[in-house]
Amino acid sequence: MSVDDCIFCKIIKGDIPCFKLYEDEHTLAFMDINPANDGHALIIPKTHANDLLSIEPDSLAAVTMTARKVARAVSGTVKPEGINLMQCNGEAAGQSVFHFHMHVLPRAVGDELKMNWGLTPGDMDAIGKLAERIRSNLEA
Ligand code: AMP
Ligand code: ZN
């Protein structure tokens, strides 16, 4: 798949909308539109890389720092019992979008989330409102 067909590159370019949480020079964070749990967010590098095996180290470091920032804001907003940072490489590992991304995935005891959860479209209005609340909890 070429970078031109990459859905996350299109989000970075603004060709496809997203519920943006945070953006800096190297990364973009936005809400997952098929949330496995409330507050499910994604962090991506602005430079396209398919996966962990090909991402540049500096880009990976930037994504990780943004993931921490977003996880803290999600934690303060949704108050989950736990958070998984998750990242899939290859179809067999559950990767469905081949632009490196880190999931910030709020967890609850007994939510019975499986590693390869199915994609169920969320309520866009509710996701947008939650994005606003998470943004207001971002620290400098
Ligand atoms: P993965 O299965 O690890 O590749 O995760 C890809 C994630 O991207 C899934 O959780 C999808 O719900 C999410 N996703 C796909 N398209 C979009 C989109 N346009 N906006 C937000 N999230 C998306
Ligand atoms: Zn891309």
Side-chain angles (χ1 to χ4, degrees):
M1 188 197 62
S2 83
V3 172
D4 290 340
D5 300 326
C6 173
I7 190 163
F8 286 175
C9 282
K10 286 182 181 161
I11 287 177
I12 291 164
K13 279 191 279 178
D15 293 346
I16 290 180
C18 72
F19 295 105
K20 192 197 290 184
L21 294 173
Y22 173 79
E23 173 172 25
D24 60 23
E25 193 186 343
H26 301 293
T27 66
L28 174 68
F30 53 96
M31 301 296 278
D32 197 305
I33 55 169
N34 307 290
N37 273 332
D38 282 350
H40 186 171
L42 300 171
I43 294 85
I44 62 175
K46 287 190 172 172
T47 302
H48 180 95
N50 283 9
D51 55 26
L52 180 67
L53 307 182
S54 57
I55 189 171
E56 290 296 331
D58 286 351
S59 198
L60 175 61
V63 167
T64 305
M65 293 305 287
T66 298
R68 179 178 186 275
K69 183 188 265 297
V70 169
R72 287 172 68 88
V74 167
S75 177
T77 309
V78 181
K79 307 204 180 343
E81 290 171 294
I83 291 181
N84 282 127
L85 264 197
M86 195 179 152
Q87 195 278 312
C88 309
N89 302 283
E91 233 170 284
Q95 186 174 11
S96 61
V97 177
F98 290 83
H99 178 128
F100 182 95
H101 52 280
M102 193 86 87
H103 295 262
V104 169
L105 185 52
R107 298 299 307 273
V109 172
D111 65 14
E112 296 195 354
L113 217 56
K114 304 284 186 299
M115 279 283 272
N116 290 359
W117 60 84
L119 298 186
T120 308
D123 173 338
M124 295 305 143
D125 193 43
I127 294 173
K129 287 190 176 125
L130 191 49
E132 207 173 303
R133 290 176 54 214
I134 294 170
R135 276 195 298 272
S136 74
N137 265 326
L138 283 170
E139 295 158 358

